[in-house]
Amino acid sequence: MHPIELSQKAANTLGITWDDGHQSSYQVRGLRLQCKCAACVDEWTRKVLIKEEQIPLDIRPKKIEPVGRYALSIAWSDGHSSGIYTFDHLRSLCECEACRKT
Amino acid sequence: MFFKKAKPLSTDSVAHALSHVSAPGTDKGLISLGYIKNLQVSGTKVRFDLAVPNINERDRDALVEACRAAVKKVEGVEFIHISPVAATEAPKPSPAPGGQGRISLPNIRNLIAVASGKGGVGKSTAAISLSLALVAEGKRVGLLDADIYGPSLPTLIGINQRPPQTESGRILPIIKEGLKLMSMGFMIPEGQPVVWRGPMVHGALTQFLTQVDWGELDYLIVDMPPGTGDAQLTMSQTAPLSGAIIVTTPQELSLIDARKGLKMFESVQVPILGIIENMSGFVAPDGQVHNIFKTGGGKKLAEESGTPLLGVIPLDPLIAEGGDSGKSVLLTHPDATVSKIYRQMAKDLIKKASPQGAFKPVSLEWQ
């Protein structure tokens, strides 16, 4: 599964259209908090190292780029850019009604 | 002289003088190679930086003297200041993760990694044999040896020469038997080890992909080093891989590692094009088959991972002979069983491999 289109649906909302036709939308700050990079989540203990209050309320992506065939990287307005969001992870975070129920 | 008013010194005349000084080991001028930086001329003074990559102290000092002598001859020069500085490789590849270092290779239709978790299973031999078989099918093929620490291509193909560089600094691949070739082994003297940390491997690989003039290719086969480390990450994160081929020997020990290699590519969604079981049985002169490393491991891996078994290659002294002499068995014995198997594999691969267009990367700039 992979995205076929990315869109900015609102100032703080990212839209992804998937190759199976599914449409996802995400609050961008929620994505920032889900970052799984080594600076945000401890590699060994899996302990989350970032605190929600540290992330600006008005955080925005600056640039979203592909990583190989399996992920996206997001460069954020707070300067953080080391996170890799796999397609599977992104799909599991989908905020639509149907996905939240399952 | 005393009465004649000196012509005002120009940057051009100094640059012209320096263009006749060539870099050590080449016949190319320092100016055209871009080794002279920040050239400033004011009055009778000339200043510039000399940035020559990979130069030893003695050569560098000799070069400074050669530059000084050349500039001295220019009318009106009285003061020369040359600063040797560290050469920075241009353009700098960005550090690994994050899509920032993404490479696009529009002229390469299929980028295929030949990999295995384990070393010594015959990856390089398989990669070169498959490449030659693709050439025999009339395809335009390149072969990149991505094993920075232990390049095998120079030996297998019988070449150890430095690839030529264009004026703009692009590297021309070595062409042999219709194959375009690049290997770290071409860039360093024979027998000299490469002692690098991981990020350097990433840099070298991205340069091999982007700064080598591959031209239009139907296939670029990448002979991966063993393991699931830096080189594998670079290839799967920054390069538009069309697929991977996993090489294994039949016994369980090799399968364990091959399985990891396969899983690694699956986890980054690189399609597995198939599995090659190498060193599968030895056919003795009396016709008896000896399964030295057991048999059926490749089939087992293919079945459990739901990927096709591309080919089963027997042990044949002709293969090792070809490898050591730099002349592949496909060229010396085109009718040998192994040669036929590889040609069939190439035919199957051509039917299978899809152009990169099947997967389109997406990106977005936030407004």
Side-chain angles (χ1 to χ4, degrees), chain A residues 8-56:
Chain A
Q8 184 179 342
K9 295 172 85 174
N12 60 354
T13 312
L14 166 70
I16 296 182
T17 307
W18 298 89
D19 60 339
D20 63 355
H22 191 78
Q23 305 250 356
S24 303
S25 63
Y26 305 88
Q27 297 299 308
V28 293
R29 187 161 180 271
L31 286 180
R32 172 67 187 87
L33 289 167
Q34 281 292 334
C35 181
K36 284 197 168 13
C37 85
C40 296
V41 178
D42 188 281
E43 289 274 284
W44 298 102
T45 64
R46 298 281 151 206
K47 191 176 166 238
V48 177
L49 303 173
I50 41 168
K51 297 199 172 65
E52 194 181 340
E53 61 269 24
Q54 293 171 340
I55 306 299

Side-chain angles (χ1 to χ4, degrees), chain A residues 1-8 10-11 13-14 28 60-70 73 81 84 87-88, chain B residues 97-100 102 233 236-243 267-271 358-367:
Chain A
M1 189 168 19
H2 62 264
I4 53 172
E5 204 194 349
L6 305 179
S7 60
Q8 184 179 342
T13 312
L14 166 70
V28 293
R60 301 282 182 266
K62 280 164 77 183
K63 213 175 191 182
I64 305 177
E65 291 193 297
V67 179
R69 304 172 66 118
Y70 74 105
S73 81
S81 66
I84 290 178
F87 298 155
D88 291 344
Chain B
Q100 301 95 327
R102 200 169 65 85
L233 272 174
S236 48
Q237 293 193 329
T238 57
L241 274 177
S242 327
S267 72
V268 292
Q269 296 192 21
V270 171
F359 172 84
K360 278 206 177 64
V362 289
S363 58
L364 180 69
E365 296 246 6
W366 206 260
Q367 302 303 317

Side-chain angles (χ1 to χ4, degrees), chain B residues 289-319:
Chain B
V289 180
H290 302 270
N291 288 319
I292 296 173
F293 298 117
K294 308 204 318 201
T295 184
K299 191 162 170 250
K300 188 175 160 195
L301 185 61
E303 276 167 6
E304 65 180 46
S305 61
T307 47
L309 182 63
L310 286 177
V312 177
I313 317 288
L315 279 165
D316 186 332
L318 286 174
I319 299 177

